[in-house]
Amino acid sequence: KIFMNTLKYLQSNEFLLDVDLWRLFANLEELNKISLGFLKSFFETVKEHVSKSDFPMDFSSVLRKFFQGDLCQTHQIYCLNYTSAVFYLENLRQREDFGIYLKQWCEQNERCKRLHLPELLVAPLHRLTRYPLLLNNIWKRSTNETEKGFTWSLKEKVEKSIRDLEGKVKWLDNFQKFRQLQEVIIWPQVWDRDKRFFVPEYLKQSLRENSSENILSSANRLLLHEGRLTLAESTRLLDVYLFLFDDFLLITKIKRNKKKYGGSDTGLIPVCPSLAPELQSFVREGGFCTVLDQPIPLDRLTLRNIDPIHITVFSLRNAFLIQHENRYRQCIAVFLLQAPTESAKKTWMSQIETAISNYTTQHETKKNAAFCFPPESSEI
């Protein structure tokens, strides 16, 4: 509340007017009001029991009012906004004026106990996960069987609500990450990627409309592994960044400019905190990843280990080879990659092999399910 109220005060004096309160704090005021109401009612019941020895310790009315009311729902709204709030805060902290607000106006307040805003924003998430523990303790100590049964059913509902929320938060986090990747990864047009392909100017626009960028728009796709490697070309070594998804591998080359492919200067783009630290640092410097070749489907990918004795002539270490085959099992591309360490090489090979195995298993299961005919009717 110190951070939120201070920001409100500054905005009332026409400072930091472009900072969105909701994006940072969501429904914190409503959450605080409901949580405080629950605590007051809860301790009022305890107080009544202590002051009047004949007064029964009955929590059911308090629990029913809040847990069947808005308490969990209000927490859920806050928690669903949390990832976005951290993302937004991370980018605001790059600004000098916002940094002054954080450090000089808020963090020096003794009531903050030297805690920073990210540490405070996560507190309501922790609070929600402690409610089942509270309900479980009440259930253990209840003597009334009706109240005991009610408290147990309430605990199970809250636990299910938290499990559902975790799924939604993971989905949103994945969605945020892929939206960021769409900004970071540049897909060059086929005629720019390979000079053999000639396309008249009047046809280029219609081909651009069928852009490959939407390939990362699916929120169901998972990013399994990523990292920087070195690609050995015929005349040079090239810094590349690989993205291993659950259905294909994408090889990109690292570009250290501030312009998107074929576009104007976009400046630094916001950085999603769920991205790998190496990629975050790279993006903050204005870097992008330009797709080197078409995505390699996992069922068209062959992985080969390179024995050190066969590669020393090229001064390469920790090398492995990726082969891209078409649907007729013809090799259409080969990539000789070098990892920074032997351990990193083994990790990459293990991750790719596991991804291929899982992908193959899933598609075999779907294929078998498609060919499972229902039992024939006796009337046929």
Side-chain angles (χ1 to χ4, degrees):
K1 287 189 72 178
I2 290 167
F3 283 87
M4 184 172 64
N5 290 338
T6 301
L7 182 57
K8 283 183 178 179
Y9 171 76
L10 288 171
Q11 290 186 336
S12 70
N13 287 275
E14 299 190 351
F15 293 102
L16 299 173
L17 291 174
D18 59 327
V19 176
D20 190 332
L21 265 167
W22 172 266
R23 288 183 69 184
L24 263 185
F25 301 105
N27 61 334
L28 184 62
E29 287 183 299
E30 181 189 11
L31 179 62
N32 185 63
K33 181 180 177 182
I34 291 175
S35 296
L36 190 60
F38 170 63
L39 287 171
K40 283 182 176 178
S41 300
F42 189 87
F43 285 114
E44 194 64 40
T45 303
V46 177
K47 185 180 176 183
E48 287 284 346
H49 175 73
V50 171
S51 61
K52 303 174 186 177
S53 56
D54 59 336
F55 187 82
M57 185 82 85
D58 180 18
F59 287 114
S60 57
S61 59
V62 177
L63 299 179
R64 182 176 284 106
K65 177 183 176 182
F66 287 94
F67 282 100
Q68 291 186 343
D70 296 333
L71 186 63
C72 287
Q73 184 182 5
T74 311
H75 270 86
Q76 283 200 344
I77 292 169
Y78 181 89
C79 294
L80 286 171
N81 186 71
Y82 172 74
T83 300
S84 177
V86 172
F87 184 16
Y88 186 50
L89 175 62
E90 185 65 24
N91 293 296
L92 288 173
R93 287 170 77 178
Q94 312 301 318
R95 290 170 41 174
E96 184 180 358
D97 57 350
F98 194 82
I100 292 170
Y101 147 72
L102 287 178
K103 293 171 185 174
Q104 297 183 19
W105 284 77
C106 301
E107 290 172 2
Q108 291 183 11
N109 190 310
E110 61 181 16
R111 287 183 293 167
C112 287
K113 299 177 182 178
R114 297 183 180 178
L115 293 173
H116 301 292
L117 186 53
E119 298 166 299
L120 296 168
L121 286 174
V122 77
L125 279 72
H126 296 157
R127 172 74 60 84
L128 179 59
T129 59
R130 292 192 185 109
Y131 283 140
L133 300 176
L134 172 68
L135 292 168
N136 193 57
N137 284 330
I138 294 172
W139 173 78
K140 280 181 183 176
R141 290 161 176 76
S142 293
T143 54
N144 183 297
E145 287 302 317
T146 303
E147 184 181 291
K148 205 174 177 75
F150 168 73
T151 306
W152 181 260
S153 67
L154 208 56
K155 180 182 84 78
E156 289 191 322
K157 285 178 181 176
V158 174
E159 286 176 337
K160 182 180 182 301
S161 173
I162 291 172
R163 287 195 299 273
D164 292 344
L165 177 63
E166 285 173 349
K168 290 173 184 174
V169 169
K170 284 179 182 176
W171 186 92
L172 278 173
D173 189 51
N174 195 51
F175 174 78
Q176 193 80 51
K177 182 190 291 185
F178 273 75
R179 193 167 67 173
Q180 173 85 92
L181 288 176
Q182 282 183 287
E183 293 288 327
V184 173
I185 298 174
I186 311 303
W187 299 76
Q189 299 298 333
V190 65
W191 54 86
D192 290 318
R193 197 173 67 231
D194 194 326
K195 300 303 179 184
R196 294 175 301 164
F197 302 116
F198 170 72
V199 179
E201 284 297 325
Y202 75 94
L203 288 177
K204 285 184 177 181
Q205 185 55 42
S206 61
L207 291 173
R208 281 194 184 96
E209 290 170 0
N210 299 320
S211 175
S212 304
E213 294 175 18
N214 294 329
I215 197 170
L216 296 180
S217 62
S218 172
N220 296 320
R221 182 169 282 113
L222 296 175
L223 178 59
L224 305 177
H225 194 58
E226 61 183 291
R228 185 181 294 195
L229 295 172
T230 303
L231 175 67
E233 294 189 330
S234 58
T235 57
R236 59 173 180 166
L237 296 177
L238 184 67
D239 277 344
V240 291
Y241 199 94
L242 269 64
F243 298 91
L244 176 63
F245 298 96
D246 57 352
D247 56 345
F248 67 85
L249 177 72
L250 191 63
I251 302 176
T252 68
K253 56 184 175 182
I254 295 169
K255 287 272 191 178
R256 287 180 173 80
N257 57 23
K258 295 184 181 181
K259 290 187 177 182
K260 294 192 72 171
Y261 189 86
S264 58
D265 192 350
T266 58
L268 297 177
I269 61 175
V271 181
C272 176
S274 58
L275 290 182
E278 184 179 31
L279 190 59
Q280 282 190 46
S281 173
F282 176 61
V283 172
R284 284 198 184 96
E285 295 168 0
F288 290 98
C289 298
T290 303
V291 175
L292 190 67
D293 201 36
Q294 57 185 299
I296 307 174
L298 295 184
D299 59 343
R300 300 279 182 259
L301 189 155
T302 302
L303 183 66
R304 298 182 187 278
N305 183 37
I306 302 294
D307 195 298
I309 198 169
H310 294 133
I311 207 69
T312 50
V313 67
F314 297 105
S315 300
L316 290 178
R317 299 286 185 273
N318 319 313
F320 61 98
L321 186 137
I322 287 173
Q323 184 174 319
H324 184 183
E325 298 177 345
N326 63 16
R327 61 183 296 188
Y328 304 107
R329 314 312 298 181
Q330 292 175 306
C331 178
I332 56 174
V334 174
F335 302 94
L336 181 59
L337 297 158
Q338 177 182 242
T341 63
E342 181 66 20
S343 173
K345 169 189 168 178
K346 288 179 179 177
T347 300
W348 265 107
M349 293 189 70
S350 172
Q351 290 279 354
I352 293 172
E353 286 167 352
T354 303
I356 292 172
S357 175
N358 291 340
Y359 181 84
T360 304
T361 302
Q362 288 176 6
H363 277 258
E364 284 298 323
T365 304
K366 288 179 182 178
K367 192 186 294 181
N368 292 336
F371 283 96
C372 286
F373 295 104
E376 285 189 1
S377 167
S378 58
E379 295 177 4
I380 296 179

